[in-house]
Amino acid sequence: MRKIHSLSVILITKNEADRVEPCLKSVANIADEIIVLDSGSTDDTLQICKKYTDKVFETDWPGFGKQKQRALDKASCDWVLSIDADEALDEQMQQALLTLLSQDQIEQTAYRLPWGVTLYGKTLKYGRSARSVLRLFKREGARYTLDEVHETVIPAQGTTGKLDGLLLHYTHRDYGHGLDKAAKYAWLGSLKYHRKGKKSHGLLLALLRGMWTFFHIYFIRRGFMDGSVGFIVAMTYAQVNFNKYVGLWLLENQRS
């Protein structure tokens, strides 16, 4: 199958030597260029990435949104796939992407990729994990929000489609890593909300937000269908949301 449209893959890294290679392997035969921005890895991440691309850049760390925008600025192809080091395209999505790029015309300006969040040996199908993330988009006219965390890409004006297959997401190495990651994201969320002038409205509301998050993920979005891992995930998200608003309250009251 001959590609008509070119593809840039962008990736940001730091100390991902234990899991970046499956990510790179999953895109190596589709990408026309792979762009890696690394912010201070002390393991073998750089050496592994250089096996797949000569476009590896060492940078500082300005936050997720700014770093991804830096990577996007270096892209030169028609389309861009943004992927994380703990993710990989499954075979069905690799084929779907190749088929898409081989079409004469592509009507959409962006595509969502169904997430296959895999935790503790289980690929989740419900809860917050049962969603698609916008990761594939036309390069021209696209940009990232410059948020510290939970950045989003703003694609060029047009319609958005969805690819078949799964974007596998091996989000935690182990439970300890999951706890560290949750704490980091909660605090970054506090800082982002404080910078944007959002108010916490007190600690009681922080508690209620955490409780609602659990109820929404575990019951409304049927996280209970994922068994014990679904319960752990719902509790983790509830804790993150509670911590985020507690952090915001402390920042408001200058008790950080």
Side-chain angles (χ1 to χ4, degrees):
M1 190 176 297
R2 185 178 66 87
K3 282 198 310 168
I4 296 173
H5 308 274
S6 58
L7 178 68
S8 299
V9 173
I10 60 174
L11 171 67
I12 63 174
T13 60
K14 183 177 180 180
N15 291 335
E16 299 286 358
D18 59 329
R19 54 187 184 171
V20 72
E21 192 148 25
C23 170
L24 293 167
K25 281 183 177 178
S26 76
V27 299
N29 294 328
I30 308 170
D32 295 279
E33 65 176 4
I34 299 174
I35 296 165
V36 178
L37 263 65
D38 186 85
S39 55
S41 287
T42 55
D43 60 8
D44 292 332
T45 297
L46 291 172
Q47 289 81 357
I48 294 170
C49 290
K50 287 175 181 178
K51 289 163 50 179
Y52 294 86
T53 177
D54 59 357
K55 295 185 177 181
V56 178
F57 305 92
E58 298 181 62
T59 75
D60 62 347
W61 177 248
F64 283 95
K66 290 180 180 179
Q67 191 78 324
K68 289 195 175 181
Q69 183 61 48
R70 285 175 175 176
L72 177 56
D73 289 341
K74 293 182 180 296
S76 62
C77 294
D78 304 324
W79 285 78
V80 175
L81 171 67
S82 175
I83 193 167
D84 292 339
D86 58 359
E87 296 173 338
L89 307 183
D90 73 357
E91 290 186 7
Q92 184 181 3
M93 185 167 285
Q94 291 176 39
Q95 186 59 48
L97 179 53
L98 184 58
T99 300
L100 178 72
L101 297 173
S102 301
Q103 295 177 4
D104 289 332
Q105 302 241 342
I106 302 176
E107 294 183 3
Q108 283 78 13
T109 58
Y111 282 84
R112 292 187 175 276
L113 280 55
W115 232 0
V117 176
T118 303
L119 277 173
Y120 315 122
K122 183 179 182 65
T123 299
L124 306 179
K125 297 180 180 179
Y126 301 93
R128 193 172 183 269
S129 304
R131 59 194 177 110
S132 300
V133 288
L134 200 159
R135 295 294 189 84
L136 178 67
F137 48 91
K138 280 188 174 179
R139 178 181 60 82
E140 188 172 349
R143 63 180 176 87
Y144 274 95
T145 61
L146 302 182
D147 296 317
E148 296 90 338
V149 68
H150 296 145
E151 73 294 336
T152 55
V153 64
I154 302 173
Q157 187 173 4
T159 57
T160 299
K162 186 165 78 169
L163 282 189
D164 293 330
L166 289 176
L167 174 64
L168 299 171
H169 185 202
Y170 303 97
T171 178
H172 300 164
R173 294 180 173 95
D174 52 36
Y175 189 57
H177 177 232
L179 291 174
D180 291 342
K181 192 172 180 180
K184 175 183 176 183
Y185 277 25
W187 179 238
L188 288 173
S190 302
L191 294 171
K192 180 173 87 170
Y193 281 179
H194 186 61
R195 175 176 58 81
K196 292 187 172 185
K198 188 166 184 174
K199 301 300 180 183
S200 68
H201 302 294
L203 293 178
L204 177 60
L205 191 57
L207 175 62
L208 294 175
R209 286 180 186 275
M211 294 170 64
W212 166 249
T213 298
F214 177 84
F215 184 82
H216 182 254
I217 292 174
Y218 195 66
F219 292 105
I220 296 178
R221 299 191 67 167
R222 297 189 294 166
F224 63 88
M225 297 288 288
D226 284 321
S228 57
V229 177
F231 178 80
I232 293 170
V233 169
M235 283 296 296
T236 300
Y237 277 116
Q239 186 70 53
V240 167
N241 213 21
F242 171 74
N243 288 342
K244 179 170 61 180
Y245 282 94
V246 169
L248 180 58
W249 181 81
L250 290 169
L251 288 167
E252 289 170 353
N253 292 277
Q254 297 182 345
R255 300 178 185 178
S256 59

